């Protein structure tokens, strides 16, 4: 048997685990890993910035239910990839970061791109390790991959010194092989706690189920639909929990969110945390007497902020929800037993009327609501939400917030946004990852189906190809705009809308002449600058022609 290099062993280890796509940027010494991976049929998606590559790999893990893999160089490559680590950690996305590093015998000598990445990333990952020899590579990869995937998903890191990558194993006869790992265990909840939670729900005057993105990751849609159909409890999806149940479901309270929070007395939290997105579970947004029953795979999350530790349920959502439904037996909520139902209906009617008025606003320049509503009408004429053939990626403060209520989704994992960290710059990486995950460019072996629909499409496993649609604020788009070239290079027909208002939150002027006067006030030393006669900190250029970026790389704009 021919000798194997470290790069070949690394590529074989990844393929053995079922990895078929890697995101990243290559350079010395990791280019050898990428080339060997390509030789084995693993697709390598080369980005223009490690930040976007890390975001793509992390959300690919969320979409597929298995760790996304990112490959970068050492030193500055690792530093640029840290946002992917943070994004994975805070959102509980399974993510494996691989990075090259300097030769082990040159440590502390100021070697090329030297960085003690293990010490640097250990506090921010579930595990950070370095193979000590070529024959230890398979075990290290299995360990890191499993850690990223099992329990609460998150980031793992493997440091790969140049001498490990470029080394040669003279005999590979006894080299251990990796193989696809079994799906993570799905722990069930203890029966006494479930009984207590069920009894409390039965006493609720105004119960509410909050559906977080953890339910989408857990593939718990069928269980939640069964629970809500039986109990008739109203529900509220979080921003990325949208689509676990259709937005059009009659028990969805999203259009009366404020009223739902103020009225709810017993709340069942499914795959959601009481962080800033849910106002920490505290008044005045929430009913001051509200009690929270929290279900989560992560025991450290349970009981935080307003959640009651005595009502915490540790377990996998897909396992726990049927257990809880069994304890509820035939009980269902009677909406006519409380005035809360009429309050919700009245609030829905008011808010929908307000939204319709904003959507039909004809002022110039267009408002966010008017522009996004026009896009929504066109797209949903071409592809209705129930078909599930559009994936929305949204970022930018006003664009993201406004689009959340305008674009309905009817299936899980079809809406991606800035997430728990409110991270601007995720959009282009997310769109690339979604294109690959849903359209079968390198889907992982044995992964759960990530799509819906059954219309045949050549080369797509018999499923309808999904259109990826980006709804971008102009500021957010700027963080990773060069990834438009990545999309073009790999033939990704992604549709990008940039809401161009010339600034962060808002622009400085509606007319070019007015904007140029402000610019002059900033640039000219003789012009007054302390009396508001200059560009503000939120200002961007006036009517930048972002569409020409697509034309520049061979697309349409």
């Amino acid at each position: 048997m021919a000798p194997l290099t470290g790069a070949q062993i690394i590529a074989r280890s990844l393929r053995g685990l079922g990895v078929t796509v890697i995101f990243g940027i290559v350079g010395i010494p990791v280019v050898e890993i990428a080339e060997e991976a390509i030789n084995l049929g693993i697709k390598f998606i080369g980005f223009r910035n490690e930040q976007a590559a890390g975001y793509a790999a992390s959300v690919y893990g969320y979409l597929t239910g298995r760790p996304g893999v990112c490959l970068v160089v050492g030193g500055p490559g690792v530093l640029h990839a840290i946002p992917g680590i943070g994004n994975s950690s805070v959102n509980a996305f399974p993510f494996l970061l691989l990075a090259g590093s300097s030769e082990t015998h040159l440590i502390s000598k100021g070697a090329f791109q030297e960085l003690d990445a293990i010490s640097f990333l250990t506090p921010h990952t579930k595990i950070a390790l370095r193979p000590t020899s070529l024959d230890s590579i398979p075990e290290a990869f299995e360990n890191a991959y499993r850690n990223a995937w099992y329990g609460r998903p998150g980031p793992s890191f493997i440091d790969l010194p140049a001498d490990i990558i470029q080394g040669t194993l003279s005999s590979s006869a006894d080299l251990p092989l990796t193989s696809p790992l079994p799906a993570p265990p799905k722990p069930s909840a203890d029966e006494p706690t479930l009984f207590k939670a069920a009894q409390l729900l039965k006493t609720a005057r105004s119960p509410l189920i909050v559906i977080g993105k953890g339910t989408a990751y857990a593939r718990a849609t069928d269980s939640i639909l069964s629970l809500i159909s039986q109990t008739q409890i109203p529900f509220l999806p979080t921003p990325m929990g949208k689509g676990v149940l259709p937005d059009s479901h009659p028990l969805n309270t999203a259009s009366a969110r404020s009223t739902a929070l103020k009225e709810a007395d017993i709340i069942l939290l499914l795959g959601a945390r009481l962080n800033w997105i849910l106002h920490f579970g505290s008044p005045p947004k929430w009913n001051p007497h509200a009690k929270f029953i929290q279900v989560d795979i992560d025991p450290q999350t349970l009981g935080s902020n307003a959640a009651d530790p005595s009502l915490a349920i540790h377990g996998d959502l897909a396992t726990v929800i049927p257990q809880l439904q069994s304890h509820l037996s035939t009980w269902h909520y009677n909406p006519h037993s409380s005035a809360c139902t009429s309050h919700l209906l009245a609030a829905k009617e008011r808010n929908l009327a307000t939204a319709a008025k904003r959507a039909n606003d004809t002022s110039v320049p267009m408002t966010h609501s008017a522009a996004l509503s026009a896009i929504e009408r066109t797209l949903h004429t071409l592809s209705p939400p129930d078909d599930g053939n559009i994936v929305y990626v949204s970022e930018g403060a006003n664009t993201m917030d406004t689009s959340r209520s305008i674009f309905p989704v009817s299936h899980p994992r079809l809406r991606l946004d800035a997430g728990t960290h409110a991270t601007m710059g995720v959009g282009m990486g997310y769109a690339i990852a979604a294109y690959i995950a849903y359209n079968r460019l390198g889907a992982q072996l044995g992964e759960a189906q990530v799509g819906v629909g059954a219309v045949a499409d050549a080369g797509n496993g018999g499923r309808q190809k999904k259109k990826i649609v980006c709804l971008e604020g102009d500021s957010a788009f700027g963080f990773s705009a060069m990834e438009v070239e990545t999309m073009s290079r790999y033939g990704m027909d992604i549709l990008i809308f940039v809401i161009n208002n010339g600034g962060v939150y808002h622009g400085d002027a509606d007319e070019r002449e007015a904007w140029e006067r402000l610019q002059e006030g900033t640039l000219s030393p003789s012009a007054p600058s302390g009396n508001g006669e200059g560009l503000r900190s939120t200002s961007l250029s006036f009517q930048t022609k972002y569409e020409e970026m697509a034309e520049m790389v061979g697309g349409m704009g």
Side-chain angles (χ1 to χ4, degrees), residues 448-461:
Q449 289 286 324
V450 297
V452 294
V455 180
D457 183 72
N460 192 35

Side-chain angles (χ1 to χ4, degrees), residues 214-230:
T215 58
Y217 178 80
R219 276 64 180 169
T221 296
D222 291 344
S223 299
I224 292 177
L225 178 60
S226 176
L227 175 67
I228 287 178
S229 297
Q230 174 191 303

